[in-house]
Amino acid sequence: MVAMTISTAQAHAPKTASPLPAPAIETHDLAKRYGDTVALAGLTMTVPRGEVFGFLGPNGAGKTTAVKLLLGLARATGGRGQVLGAPIGDLRARRRIGYLPELFRYQSWLRAREVLGAHSELAGLPAEGRSREIEAVLQLVGLTERGSDRVGAFSKGMQQRLGLAVALLGEPEVVFLDEPTSALDPVGRADVRGIIRHLRERGATVFLNSHLLGEVERVCDRVAIVDRGRVIAEGPIDELLGARSLRVRATGLDDGDRSSFARFGPLTVDGDWLTIRPIEPEVVPEVVATIVAAGGRVHAVEPGRATLEDRFLALLQVEESPPTEPKP
Amino acid sequence: MTTIIRLTLVEAMRRRILWAFVVLTAVIAALTGWGLSVLVESAHQHGVSSLQVGIGISQVLILLAFMFSFVLAMSAAFLGAPAIASELESGILLAVLARPLRRSSLILGRWLGLSLIVVGYTALAGVMELGVTKLVTDYLPPEPVEAVVYLAGQAVVLLTVALVLSTRLPGIAAGAVCVVLFGLSWMAGVMGGVAAAFNLPELSAITSAARYLLPLDGLWRGTVYSLEPPSIAFLTQLAGNRAGAAAVSANPFYAPSGPPVGYLAYVVAWVALALVVAIASFRRREI
C-alpha cells in the first residue's frame, strides 16, 4: 500500500502567537476496500485552510470515494482522518462543511427555495437569517428568478446550480465540489470558476474533485493526481506544470544574433524558430525587443508551458507502463 | 428530525398520495352508504329482525375493514419501501446525510411522517365509513375507535417492516417482500384457527410463532372483535357444540375476543425493536 504526503499545513501557517488552526483536511493512510477491490489505498494528505485543492484523476480513480470517506458517508477500512480538526463524520464539523455531490439530485416535488430552506434547517443555520442566506446563494448561482419553481422542472444544469447553492449555504469553511461543472455549459463553467474564486477570497477551503483539467488548472492552488486508488503526484500547480518556454519565429537574424539569445536561457534553433526553455515570463518583452533591435522581424511569439493535461497524461502513462526488469 | 417529518408530509401532499387516498375513500364511502341502504331496505321488506340486520351490517363492516386492511397494508408497504431506498438510489440522501443529521433521526423522521400519514388516513377512512353507516342504518359497532386503532396498528407494523427492508433492499424488492409477508401473516392467522379447531399442536406452534414474528393477525382479530355486535359470540356458541364453535373461530372474519393487553404491549415493543434494527442497519449502510 502506497502512502504519500501531499503537503504540510506548517508550510502555510501564519507566524502568529495564536494557536494554529487545524488544517482543513488531514488524512493518514486513509483506505477503502470493497471486497478485493481497492477504491482508495493509503491516502495521506494535509490540505491547509484557504486553498483551492484539486483532486484529479481518471474515472474510477477513487476521487468520489475519498470525498465520501471525508464526509462520513462511507466508512474507511483503514487509516484515519480529520476535517476542520474533528474526526471524520463529526456532526459539529459538518455544520461548517458544504457538499455538492457528483450525483446531484434534490427533491423534485419541492421548489428551489424550499430545498434550500430544508438544508438550512438541517445545517442548523439560525432561523432569522435563513431567508437572507437563501436569497444570497440563489443570486450567487444565478437562480434567483427560478427560486420559486419546482426542482422537477429544472434542467440538469439548473439542478447542478441548485446543488452548488445548497453547498454554499451558511458560508461553510470547507466546500467539497465533486465534478461541479459536469452538467454546465461554458457560461455555467465560467460562473463556477467565479464562485470558487469568491470562496477563496473569503478564506474558505475548496476541495475540487474533477477530471476537467482545464478547469482545475485555472482555479486551483494545489493539486493531487490520483490513479487506481493512490496518489501519483502532488504539489502546487506551478511546480507540477514545470518550466515555461518561449517560441519565437524571427527572420533577418544572423547566427551571431541568434546565439546571443542564449543569455535568456537554454536556446534551441530550428530554422526561423528560436525556443528558449526554461524562461521567466517577465523577460519575454525583452527578448522581442532584442530581436527588433538587432534588425530582425518578429512573425510569431508563443509563450508556452506544459498543460495540466500533458502532465496528467504523462503521469498516467508512467503508471501504466510495465516495470522494467532489473539487469542481473 | 422535524425537518424530515415535514418533508415527508409535503412529499405525500405534492405527489398527490393523500388526495388520491381521500378521493378514493370518499367514493368507497358513498358506495357503502348506497349498498347498506339497499340491504337494510330489503331486510325490512322481508321482515328480518333488527338483531339479524345488525349482525348483517356488522359483517359488511368487517368485510369493508378487511378491504381497508389490505389497502392500508399495500399503502404502508409502498410508502415505506422506497422511503430510504429510492432516495439512496437517486442520490437525494448524499447531500442530506452530509449535513449534521444523525442517521437515526432520518429513520425516525421518515417513520413518524409516514406513520402520521397512514394513521391519519385510517382515521379519516374510519370516520367516513362508520359515519355513513350510522347515517344510513343507524348502526354503530360497539368499539368503533378501537377498530380504527387496530387497523392503523396493522398499517404501522407493516410500514415499519417496509422501512427496515428499505435500508437494505431496493424499493421495489422491499415492497414486494412486504406484500408477501402480509399475505403469509394473514394465512398464518387462518391456519392458526384451523390448528386450534382440529387440535393440531405442531401446526398451532408454527402459526403462533408466525403471529408473533409479524404481529398483524392479532391486530386484525382486534379490528374484527371491535366491529362485532356482542350478540354474535353468544349466537355462535348456540350454533353448535364446542368443536363446532372452535371451527367457526378459524374464520378470519370472526374473533371470539380482542387481543389481550400483553399482546398489545408486545406489538409496541416489536415496533420499537424493528426501528432499532432499521437504525442499526442504516448506520452500517455505505452511501
Side-chain angles (χ1 to χ4, degrees), chain A residues 7-10 12 22-25 46-53 205 222:
Chain A
S7 68
T8 56
Q10 287 75 11
H12 295 265
I25 299 164
T46 303
V47 180
R49 295 200 185 211
E51 280 197 351
V52 179
F53 185 86
T205 306
R222 181 182 293 272

Side-chain angles (χ1 to χ4, degrees), chain A residues 32 68 72-75 91 94-95 97 99 103 105 107 109-111 114 119 121-123 150 166, chain B residues 3 6-7 10-11 14-15 87 90-92 94-95 97-103 284 286-287:
Chain A
K32 179 66 181 175
K68 286 184 175 178
L73 295 172
R75 279 173 295 132
L91 289 185
R94 282 195 204 170
R95 288 177 190 274
I97 295 173
Y99 173 43
L103 182 59
R105 291 286 183 280
Q107 293 85 345
W109 57 91
L110 292 180
R111 297 180 174 88
E114 291 173 331
H119 276 272
E121 289 176 28
L122 293 172
R150 291 271 179 94
V166 168
Chain B
T3 306
R6 190 169 48 76
L7 286 175
V10 171
E11 181 182 2
R14 296 267 173 91
R15 287 183 180 260
E87 294 202 344
S90 69
I92 287 175
L94 282 172
L97 289 173
R99 295 294 178 195
L101 174 75
R102 292 181 192 281
R103 293 194 182 185
R284 291 170 185 276
E286 301 275 353
I287 305 298

Side-chain angles (χ1 to χ4, degrees), chain B residues 115-194:
Chain B
S115 294
L116 279 173
I117 292 167
V118 295
V119 170
Y121 169 65
T122 313
L124 179 73
V127 167
M128 286 170 88
E129 283 294 327
L130 295 173
V132 164
T133 305
K134 171 72 176 164
L135 196 70
V136 173
T137 67
D138 200 33
Y139 173 83
L140 202 59
E143 303 290 351
V145 175
E146 286 185 12
V148 172
V149 168
Y150 288 134
L151 213 50
Q154 283 185 79
V156 170
V157 166
L158 208 61
L159 169 69
T160 311
V161 175
L163 207 58
V164 173
L165 295 172
S166 185
T167 61
R168 287 287 157 180
L169 296 178
I172 292 175
V177 171
C178 275
V179 172
V180 171
L181 288 177
F182 174 74
L184 284 175
S185 169
W186 194 80
M187 203 58 213
V190 176
M191 294 309 291
V194 171

Side-chain angles (χ1 to χ4, degrees), chain A residues 177-197:
Chain A
L177 302 176
D178 198 349
E179 307 288 0
T181 57
S182 59
L184 297 180
D185 58 23
V187 176
R189 290 179 181 191
D191 289 348
V192 171
R193 288 198 296 274
I195 289 168
I196 291 173
R197 290 188 186 108

